[in-house]
Amino acid sequence: MKLPPYQPEAATSTRFLFFTGKGGVGKTSLSCAAALKLVDAGKRVLLVSTDPASNLDEVLETKLTNQPTPIAGAPGLDAMNINPVEAAAAYRERLIGPMRGLLPEAALRSMEEQLSGSCTVEIAAFDEFSGLIGNPEAAKGYDHVIFDTAPTGHTLRLMSLAKAWDQFLDKNTSGTSCLGPLAGLEKQRVIYEATVQTLADAKATTLVLVSRPQGAALREAERTSKELRAIGVGNQCLVVNGTFETQCPEDVTAQAMQQRGWAALKASASFINSMPSFIVPLRPINILGIGGLRVLLEGEALWTAAACCRFPEPALLASRSQDVTNSDSDVFSPAAGLPQSKADAISPLESLADLVATIEQHGHGVIMTMGKGGVGKTTVAAAIAVMLARRGHSVHLSTTDPAAHVAQTLHGTVEGLTLSKIDPAAETAAYQGEVMLAQGAAMDEAGRALLQEDLRSPCTEEIAVFRAFAREVGRGTGRFVVLDTAPTGHTLLLLDASEAYQRELERQARSTQPEEVLKLLERLRDPDFTRILLVTLPEATPVHEAAALQEDLRRARIEPFAWVINQSLLNSGSCDPLLQRREASEHRYLREVVEKQAKRTAWLPWQAEEPVGPEALAKLASSALAVQGAEMKRAQA
């Protein structure tokens, strides 16, 4: 399937562009590169991240805040992060500040409690997001406003909030909701309505669906496309990032990577042909800084491999991007865990089987996979679940990720292994029914109507999903529970919700909390009960985001058990020059994890076939062991 390269043009680009897709497909890199192309054409561009786990700072190599910041080396480009936590604090103060000195301290504390939940964080971020679109004065100095949105589940929620809250404001007559006084929302009604209209205006807004040449990513893009069309966002295009074509017919790894991509594109041909679709080829570098971003969209002029088993001239690459020549020359040995010159200073890398051997000693508990979207959390979680079940343990595999594909990855049955998914809609409906049954019977008609209104708010879903998460963790008292968690930002909001959840129950005078909620934090902090695996790719952004997540967990007194480095090209034996460069660039990040971040590190090689199904998932561990074993023998010889 031949698709044209993605090259955004100032003459045809709408004022607002949204880059969205499954986690890890390259939304941030592509949104930054598109912004750079537009400023090169003489336009002024504002680039905005609405992702709770944004890495815009790292890609642009600039410290960003919630105010536009000029980007060095790109005149006309400003960037900003909508930080959800900071937005929530500002939102609370905007509502409560005018009342200080007028209301008793007890009343102010009550209002602060009502505005402390994760839903307030979400609506506050949306409040800032909508201001940039619905307020004509907010970004009037810019020709284009580009949004680097969060992974798909959050993006759908963010975009649907405009209509959801507009409908909620129309229907609510009580003057209160789980967000506190509705006056804070009512004042923004005009801006919210303008936001809805702009999102649906094909002349004003373009949605850029970003994918990889992978089945799961393309399916996610197709689902996103349908759901966004349903809320009126119809001007869409597709960019398939990281396409790969090798010139080495004898290279098994390169040929497998190429064939896998082609097969995924062929399987999604009808979706791809349903809209304007483009490609961005796989690049040999980590896309960081202005130079790296130029390579992303202009790479063919910079990266031409003349011969199959040669590197291109370093001077040619270095002329446009210092990052291109950033790879280490040290030889990294998976058996040794770091360059051979330092092999005595660190323990070896391990396999998933090694980690499972330690985990299973307690006979029960919770294993959670965390990390940036797209690093393979679902695959690692499914592989661990299969291993534990095949060793005779009772195992339950579940996910809190609204965009996860656990069932498709498992693709079969394993004795002793059960499977589930936390469905937000089902959990919310069940929770609403439970509350109405428990409390509605004792209320008059007006009271029941008020309760129903409160339960229609978006916060109800947050509470329902959080309870389900606590329930899944509680199952670990009698078996192993493997949780494939949501991408980093959503996961942290979920974990942080415990105290806010308790306050919300007290505010609404709900029944006492279930035991699994009361014991949740205690269980998460118990290293003998909960084992957290930070999953990453051997690349800059996934490693640094996992490191930031580790620090956040430690502040919450939760210590990660191990790191898992997934999809490594190390020792692949590839003769393809692009893959050789990518393998070389891994060394520094492998060392960073092993030497600076992890107490234990497991390593998984890039797989010629996607690990789908019990046999492939079980093989994932043995393939790593085989590579390590061969490396050890060579080292001993």
Side-chain angles (χ1 to χ4, degrees):
M1 179 179 295
K2 291 294 184 181
L3 297 174
Y6 178 61
Q7 291 291 335
E9 301 292 342
T12 56
S13 295
T14 57
R15 183 164 189 247
F16 299 102
L17 293 94
F18 287 83
F19 286 75
T20 187
K22 182 177 171 66
V25 295
K27 297 184 297 294
T28 299
S29 297
L30 282 172
S31 62
C32 290
L36 193 59
K37 289 284 287 186
L38 292 174
V39 298
D40 285 348
K43 301 296 182 179
R44 282 193 53 78
V45 178
L46 177 62
L47 178 59
V48 185
S49 174
T50 62
D51 190 340
S54 172
N55 64 313
L56 194 60
D57 299 59
E58 183 169 27
V59 173
L60 292 174
E61 297 181 331
T62 303
K63 179 63 177 175
L64 301 177
T65 67
N66 63 351
Q67 298 298 318
T69 300
I71 304 302
L77 175 59
D78 292 347
M80 61 183 286
N81 274 327
I82 294 180
N83 184 302
V85 175
E86 292 178 0
Y91 180 77
R92 282 193 297 270
E93 185 57 29
R94 190 165 72 245
L95 295 183
I96 298 173
M99 301 180 188
R100 298 190 190 280
L102 301 176
L103 295 179
E105 282 298 318
L108 294 174
R109 283 196 300 271
S110 176
M111 291 178 65
E112 288 174 345
E113 287 179 352
Q114 292 180 37
L115 292 164
S116 295
S118 58
C119 196
T120 300
V121 174
E122 186 176 73
I123 193 62
F126 174 74
D127 194 47
E128 290 200 12
F129 152 81
S130 61
L132 292 169
I133 298 177
N135 184 354
E137 298 297 313
K140 65 179 181 180
Y142 298 97
D143 300 300
H144 301 279
V145 182
I146 298 178
F147 291 90
D148 167 32
T149 62
T152 306
H154 178 79
T155 301
L156 290 173
R157 186 143 173 78
L158 191 66
M159 287 192 163
S160 65
L161 270 174
K163 283 189 175 180
W165 279 109
D166 191 54
Q167 293 168 359
F168 185 64
L169 290 174
D170 284 336
K171 295 177 181 178
N172 188 288
T173 58
S174 65
T176 62
S177 77
C178 59
L179 296 178
L182 263 182
L185 296 175
E186 183 65 37
K187 292 176 182 178
Q188 301 295 98
R189 176 188 286 272
V190 174
I191 291 177
Y192 291 172
E193 290 175 346
T195 300
V196 173
Q197 294 172 1
T198 302
L199 291 175
D201 184 355
K203 295 181 180 180
T205 300
T206 301
L207 184 86
V208 183
L209 295 158
V210 184
S211 182
R212 291 274 184 178
Q214 300 166 353
L218 285 163
R219 286 191 297 270
E220 186 67 23
E222 184 171 8
R223 184 182 70 84
T224 302
S225 174
K226 291 177 180 177
E227 294 194 21
L228 288 174
R229 287 186 190 279
I231 62 171
V233 184
N235 185 22
Q236 303 178 3
C237 69
L238 173 70
V239 178
V240 183
N241 185 30
T243 59
F244 175 69
E245 186 172 355
T246 184
Q247 302 300 317
C248 296
E250 72 278 16
D251 189 327
V252 175
T253 299
Q255 288 293 328
M257 187 177 292
Q258 175 179 286
Q259 290 298 327
R260 183 193 293 184
W262 285 358
L265 293 174
K266 183 178 179 180
S268 298
S270 60
F271 165 58
I272 293 171
N273 293 329
S274 69
M275 67 181 70
S277 296
F278 310 91
I279 62 167
V280 173
L282 183 68
R283 302 305 185 193
I285 64 169
N286 284 292
I287 305 301
L288 297 174
I290 298 300
L293 290 168
R294 293 193 187 282
V295 170
L296 181 61
L297 293 186
E298 303 170 12
E300 291 306 314
L302 303 172
W303 175 262
T304 52
C308 181
C309 299
R310 294 180 185 172
F311 289 105
E313 290 297 327
L316 176 64
L317 297 171
S319 66
R320 291 297 293 274
S321 174
Q322 292 181 353
D323 191 68
V324 176
T325 58
N326 209 14
S327 59
D328 290 280
S329 59
D330 296 323
V331 178
F332 191 101
S333 167
L338 72 169
Q340 292 174 353
S341 61
K342 301 179 182 179
D344 295 334
I346 197 166
S347 300
L349 290 175
E350 302 179 70
S351 67
L352 280 184
D354 294 326
L355 300 185
V356 169
T358 301
I359 290 170
E360 70 174 338
Q361 293 175 7
H362 292 278
H364 67 90
V366 174
I367 302 100
M368 298 173 66
T369 56
M370 291 187 175
K372 180 178 172 64
V375 297
K377 297 186 300 294
T378 300
T379 298
V380 172
I384 290 173
V386 168
M387 290 181 220
L388 286 169
R390 288 192 167 184
R391 293 181 184 220
H393 299 285
S394 176
V395 183
H396 183 71
L397 173 63
S398 186
T399 180
T400 64
D401 187 344
H405 301 277
V406 171
Q408 292 171 342
T409 301
L410 187 60
H411 195 63
T413 59
V414 177
E415 185 177 356
L417 174 59
T418 58
L419 181 68
S420 71
K421 179 179 179 179
I422 295 177
D423 184 329
E427 296 293 343
T428 301
Y431 177 69
Q432 289 169 331
E434 176 187 327
V435 172
M436 288 302 299
L437 182 64
Q439 299 183 45
M443 295 179 176
D444 58 19
E445 185 175 347
R448 284 193 297 273
L450 178 61
L451 180 58
Q452 286 175 336
E453 285 183 353
D454 202 7
L455 290 172
R456 280 197 295 265
S457 74
C459 283
T460 300
E461 180 179 308
E462 294 290 337
I463 294 172
V465 171
F466 177 74
R467 291 204 328 167
F469 168 75
R471 182 185 66 227
E472 296 294 88
V473 171
R475 289 183 175 186
T477 56
R479 68 178 79 176
F480 282 108
V481 173
V482 183
L483 280 169
D484 166 35
T485 61
T488 308
H490 178 75
T491 301
L492 288 176
L493 289 177
L494 202 60
L495 293 176
D496 286 345
S498 56
E499 293 183 9
Y501 171 81
Q502 183 174 354
R503 288 194 295 269
E504 179 66 12
L505 287 182
E506 292 172 350
R507 185 192 69 78
Q508 295 181 352
R510 303 281 197 256
S511 55
T512 57
Q513 296 187 50
E515 181 185 7
E516 57 261 25
V517 174
L518 290 170
K519 293 186 176 181
L520 177 62
L521 280 179
E522 175 187 341
R523 287 168 172 163
L524 292 178
R525 289 167 175 162
D526 182 355
D528 292 329
F529 184 85
T530 299
R531 306 296 178 93
I532 291 178
L533 304 181
L534 297 177
V535 185
T536 186
L537 303 178
E539 300 172 8
T541 298
V543 167
H544 297 157
E545 191 159 313
L549 172 58
Q550 179 166 259
E551 290 304 309
D552 287 333
L553 290 169
R554 285 172 172 169
R555 279 194 290 271
R557 290 181 287 156
I558 300 172
E559 182 65 29
F561 170 65
W563 284 51
V564 178
I565 299 174
N566 192 27
Q567 299 180 32
S568 173
L569 287 168
L570 196 66
N571 293 321
S572 66
S574 176
C575 73
D576 187 276
L578 188 148
L579 297 187
Q580 288 177 342
R581 284 296 277 196
R582 291 188 67 86
E583 178 182 344
S585 71
E586 289 185 6
H587 297 177
R588 61 183 300 183
Y589 302 110
L590 290 165
R591 287 204 304 275
E592 182 175 339
V593 172
V594 173
E595 295 178 353
K596 298 180 180 179
Q597 300 295 347
K599 293 182 177 179
R600 298 181 66 169
T601 307
W603 173 81
L604 296 174
W606 188 88
Q607 300 289 298
E609 296 183 5
E610 289 192 57
V612 174
E615 295 304 321
L617 291 167
K619 186 180 177 181
L620 196 60
S622 60
S623 63
L625 287 170
V627 172
Q628 289 192 29
E631 192 69 22
M632 286 180 178
K633 290 179 181 178
R634 285 197 293 270
Q636 291 170 355

